Amino acid sequence: MFLAPRALDRSSLRPILVTFLVAMIVLHAWMFFRLRREIATGYPDFTIFYTAGKCIIQGRGRQLYDLETQFAIQREFASEVKRRENPLPFNHPPFEALLFAPLARLPYLTAYLVWALFNIALILGFWSLLRPRLPTLRGLLPAMPLLAMFAFFPLIMALLQGQDSILLLFLYGLAFSALATRHAFVAGLCLGLALFKFQLVLPFVLVLLVRRQWRTVAGFVITAFGLLLVSAAVVGWSGVMAYPGFVLRLSQSGGEAGIYPRDMPNLRGLVAGLLHLSGLPATLLIIAVSVALLALVAHCWRAQPERARPGHQFVLGFSLCLTVAIITGYHLLVHDLSVLILPILLIAELLVSGEIVGPARRILIASVVALFLTPLYAVLEFWLREMNLMGFAVALFAAGTTIALTSKPRPANTESPSVGKPAAQGAK
């Protein structure tokens, strides 16, 4: 997607990028049109959030994780859904159910559309948050980052499914901005609020803990404790204590809960799809490799001097940490890859501005092209039934980022002063 500026000048690069991105957006618009009836009848994942909201407004919070209760509620508003013999289970933490209680007072389709509009607002907010840090990309075309987001298949899947991955992306964007401007405690608060997808947040925070980012960790812990109290108010302490077992049982039930590791573009999916491992051996291997990868990230993401302005080393370190958190997250579906658009845009800025050279550049370009190729997702999902193979593209992106991070920095006079901080604002 992002070619070397030495190979093509910007006047040649712009039409190539725009044509590619617009082509992907047209495919996504066609997909929405084809699936409009399924959306209206209750097939999307938004069903689980609407169900949780219904439990709250009906005063059945203590039954939030009772599958029979969930299935009964879903049959009320999604009775036309065929081939669903079990509920699409709400397996997120209890506190998140409160977010959807107001939407559950609306008819299902209206609630879905309101949530979709909220997600679009989050995308626009994320763009506004990140755009000052992408001056070179905006130089190609002011709306280039926004086009890239709507051309990114995982983000569109999150929007179509009515998932909460876009909210996770927005919170990670806030955390990045806070860390870049040395508001470490605020970054921790944002990461804590993202615990509705704890499997994609805890690995990131673990790296921060190893790096002794105490203020960020403190903000995270305080928020986590507050959300624990909220969860107890929703389902009771007995419900909170039973929640981990509920999630574990769903994970072990596989197809009955619609959970297939080979659908996961992460380490777990690659272990299941390529090595055909399951059960305890697979779990032990995933844990061992995950710990090794997170330790590598903590080692490569070197601490900066206290008063140094966050530059491309910070951007690369944050991007690597987030990418590896995604790879090692135990439960990951394609819409969760939406979060990757943050490191992709940050590194695309470095690629187009010439900050990344050599093998890292070639590896990163190849991985980003693969991650943006919507037909590739279609082949893996509908033909091969092996979405786990997309994990190779994510791993390739992490490898290129690691090489760039550990390579010898370029001379100071060639470094773009705008990378990693707002164009007209220094670090605080």
Side-chain angles (χ1 to χ4, degrees):
M1 177 183 173
F2 301 102
L3 306 178
R6 290 174 295 183
L8 288 172
D9 60 29
R10 293 185 181 180
S11 62
S12 302
L13 184 59
R14 185 185 299 110
I16 293 174
L17 289 177
V18 171
T19 301
F20 179 84
L21 295 176
V22 169
M24 297 303 104
I25 292 172
V26 170
L27 282 176
H28 299 158
W30 175 81
M31 181 176 65
F32 265 91
F33 178 77
R34 286 293 302 271
L35 295 174
R36 64 191 186 282
R37 290 189 178 87
E38 286 80 0
I39 291 173
T41 52
Y43 279 92
D45 290 349
F46 181 71
T47 295
I48 70 172
F49 304 115
Y50 192 76
T51 300
K54 282 288 187 183
C55 276
I56 298 300
I57 65 173
Q58 292 176 5
R60 293 195 275 179
R62 298 298 191 272
Q63 299 172 269
L64 182 60
Y65 297 112
D66 179 72
L67 293 180
E68 291 185 4
T69 299
Q70 292 189 19
F71 199 27
I73 292 175
Q74 288 178 17
R75 283 197 296 259
E76 292 175 2
F77 66 85
S79 58
E80 296 183 35
V81 173
K82 299 178 176 61
R83 300 184 306 275
R84 186 177 289 171
E85 299 178 358
N86 299 292
L88 197 60
F90 176 76
N91 57 356
H92 293 225
F95 65 83
E96 191 180 13
L98 291 176
L99 177 63
F100 294 92
L103 292 176
R105 298 184 183 279
L106 303 173
Y108 172 79
L109 182 57
T110 304
Y112 173 89
L113 294 174
V114 171
W115 179 246
L117 289 174
F118 178 70
N119 276 317
I120 291 173
L122 289 176
I123 293 171
L124 296 176
F126 175 79
W127 175 46
S128 299
L129 183 70
L130 205 61
R131 65 192 299 272
R133 304 177 186 280
L134 307 173
T136 309
L137 284 180
R138 290 189 293 110
L140 287 173
L141 185 72
M144 182 70 72
L146 189 61
L147 283 176
M149 283 188 275
F150 284 103
F152 193 47
F153 179 78
L155 190 146
I156 294 302
M157 278 301 297
L159 189 60
L160 185 151
Q161 290 282 11
Q163 266 286 348
D164 54 4
S165 303
I166 295 172
L167 177 58
L168 179 66
L169 168 66
F170 181 74
L171 289 171
Y172 260 121
L174 289 176
F176 169 78
S177 181
L179 287 173
T181 54
R182 298 203 174 280
H183 292 94
F185 185 78
V186 174
L189 296 178
C190 296
L191 292 171
L193 291 174
L195 276 171
F196 53 85
K197 283 192 178 289
F198 56 88
Q199 76 276 13
L200 303 181
V201 175
L202 292 178
F204 189 94
V205 175
L206 181 60
V207 172
L208 296 180
L209 180 63
V210 173
R211 296 181 70 241
R212 300 180 181 181
Q213 303 294 304
W214 305 125
R215 288 185 295 170
T216 306
V217 173
F220 172 81
V221 170
I222 290 173
T223 306
F225 182 72
L227 293 177
L228 178 64
L229 297 179
V230 172
S231 295
V234 173
V235 297
W237 285 109
S238 60
V240 170
M241 299 301 292
Y243 173 69
F246 172 79
V247 173
L248 182 60
R249 287 193 300 274
L250 285 181
S251 181
Q252 293 173 341
S253 67
E256 292 182 13
I259 298 174
Y260 303 95
R262 293 174 76 139
D263 287 344
M264 300 182 185
N266 61 353
L267 180 60
R268 181 186 179 189
L270 291 174
V271 168
L274 299 181
L275 302 181
H276 304 289
L277 288 178
S278 60
L280 184 60
T283 301
L284 293 176
L285 178 59
I286 292 168
I287 291 174
V289 176
S290 297
V291 169
L293 289 174
L294 293 171
L296 177 64
V297 173
H299 173 73
C300 293
W301 190 5
R302 294 181 293 272
Q304 291 181 282
E306 183 67 24
R307 296 184 178 277
R309 290 183 174 183
H312 76 281
Q313 290 295 310
F314 166 74
V315 170
L316 289 169
F318 182 96
S319 299
L320 177 61
C321 189
L322 180 50
T323 305
V324 172
I326 292 171
I327 292 173
T328 58
Y330 192 70
H331 183 85
L332 180 91
L333 296 176
V334 66
H335 55 77
D336 294 314
L337 292 181
S338 301
V339 183
L340 266 183
I341 197 66
L342 172 55
I344 284 174
L345 288 175
L346 293 173
I347 288 182
E349 172 69 20
L350 297 177
L351 287 170
V352 175
S353 63
E355 289 291 331
I356 299 176
V357 297
R361 183 184 197 86
R362 293 187 288 272
I363 292 172
L364 286 167
I365 290 172
S367 63
V368 171
V369 170
L371 288 167
F372 266 85
L373 202 57
T374 295
L376 178 58
Y377 290 94
V379 169
L380 293 178
E381 176 65 25
F382 301 112
W383 183 31
L384 299 179
R385 306 294 298 180
E386 295 281 358
M387 185 57 75
N388 63 87
L389 295 178
M390 187 56 73
F392 281 118
V394 182
L396 192 65
F397 183 77
T401 306
T402 303
I403 295 171
L405 180 61
T406 56
S407 298
K408 184 178 179 180
R410 301 192 68 190
N413 61 351
T414 64
E415 186 171 341
S416 172
S418 57
V419 174
K421 62 180 185 300
Q425 180 180 346
K428 295 183 181 179

